[in-house]
Amino acid sequence: MFRNKKYALYIVVLCAAGFAYMFLCAGLEGGQLELARAAAGNSWDEARAALPMTVGSLLAVPFSFAALTGCLRRGVRQGMIVWGAAAALGCVGLMNARDVYWLYFAATVLLRCACAGLEMGVAALGAAWSLRFRGRLLGLVTMGAPLFYAVGAPVIADFVGARLGGDWRPLYLAVAAALALLALAVRFLLRDRPEDAGLYPDGSGRAPADAAEEDTPALTLGQVLSTKRAWLLLAVCGAYTASAAGCMGAMEAWFTALGGEEVWTGAAPWLALGAIFAMPTSYVFGWLGDRLGAGGACIVLGAGLLVAPGAM
């Protein structure tokens, strides 16, 4: 893969940009309840503060379909620039929300939808640039998310309290600036496909044997959703995603129910350790996907998913 220096340069930029996007999106999604409430003045109860996140998660589903349609027509990079701008606008909205609930609500919903688009865009770029090493490449670009969970919102909250005097606005301004820089990198340093840069997947000197002809029209979203395999893929991937999100999202409530805030606080170092181990594990499962195929790797992953809730 790295024998072709031009291809290697694109891959390095893709991995760095993907890592940064996944780190920021994990922060804006996973740590958003604590971060957003503090940024907005922490003036609402938990149910009211969490409501826009629930609404945003529901709206992210149809938004993802719309974003996918846009990718098919205009390319992934253009979509990522738009989604990055939307996420930056959401950060600016949270900076100025304070006690203005409608602005807090709108900014939070916007961030949820924009982050869904950015995460999908990172995965789409990784899938387009590699065939033989696709799993490992996706494992690398997604390592940013477990890194954030290892650092955690409490660490960032302590930093803001100690270094910024409790003012969250500089943090969200920095995130918006980072999204702007990433948009420039995506626009000028990346391409939607290696063929757009005169290259082939994996840095190969020739096109894959099963490559589609240039004049073959791309499938529309309706054509994709009319196939049985597409719905089977949605069902399988949806089950895995829902299981993982359910385990992570319900963890705080579960530990708190076991023994209150003390048990949840005591579990935090172990959760951080798990997030640290998740970084190399992301690459390992990518390697398994390349060796066993995505189906074989999913079987191993499914067995692992059964262990944690069974032990708990």
Side-chain angles (χ1 to χ4, degrees), residues 68-274:
L68 175 59
T69 303
C71 286
L72 292 174
R73 293 177 179 174
R74 302 179 182 86
V76 178
R77 290 184 306 131
Q78 289 191 20
M80 292 187 68
I81 293 172
V82 173
W83 305 327
L89 183 61
C91 290
V92 174
L94 284 181
M95 285 173 56
N96 296 280
R98 290 297 175 182
D99 293 322
V100 184
Y101 185 74
W102 71 265
L103 183 56
Y104 165 74
F105 190 102
T108 303
V109 170
L110 183 61
L111 280 172
R112 283 286 189 179
C113 294
C115 285
L118 288 173
E119 291 166 345
M120 185 176 63
V122 168
L125 285 177
W129 274 82
S130 182
L131 297 177
R132 292 185 294 121
F133 307 103
R134 178 175 291 171
R136 277 165 278 189
L137 180 58
L138 291 174
L140 288 173
V141 299
T142 55
M143 280 187 183
L147 177 61
F148 174 82
Y149 292 122
V151 175
V155 175
I156 298 178
D158 292 340
F159 171 80
V160 172
R163 300 292 184 180
L164 302 179
D167 188 358
W168 290 78
R169 289 174 295 178
L171 177 66
Y172 277 95
L173 181 61
V175 173
L179 290 169
L181 292 176
L182 286 170
L184 292 175
V186 168
R187 172 63 179 83
F188 295 106
L189 301 180
L190 286 176
R191 298 292 183 269
D192 289 321
R193 305 177 306 151
E195 290 82 358
D196 296 337
L199 299 166
Y200 295 111
D202 303 308
S204 176
R206 59 188 179 186
D210 58 348
E213 297 293 335
E214 289 293 332
D215 57 352
T216 301
L219 291 174
T220 65
L221 182 61
Q223 291 173 324
V224 173
L225 294 179
S226 65
T227 63
K228 179 181 178 180
R229 287 193 300 174
W231 286 102
L232 183 60
L233 182 63
L234 286 172
V236 173
C237 291
Y240 276 110
T241 303
S243 298
C247 287
M248 296 301 297
M251 200 169 289
E252 180 177 359
W254 174 251
F255 279 116
T256 302
L258 286 175
E261 189 67 26
E262 182 178 352
V263 173
W264 170 241
T265 304
W270 298 101
L271 295 174
L273 182 63

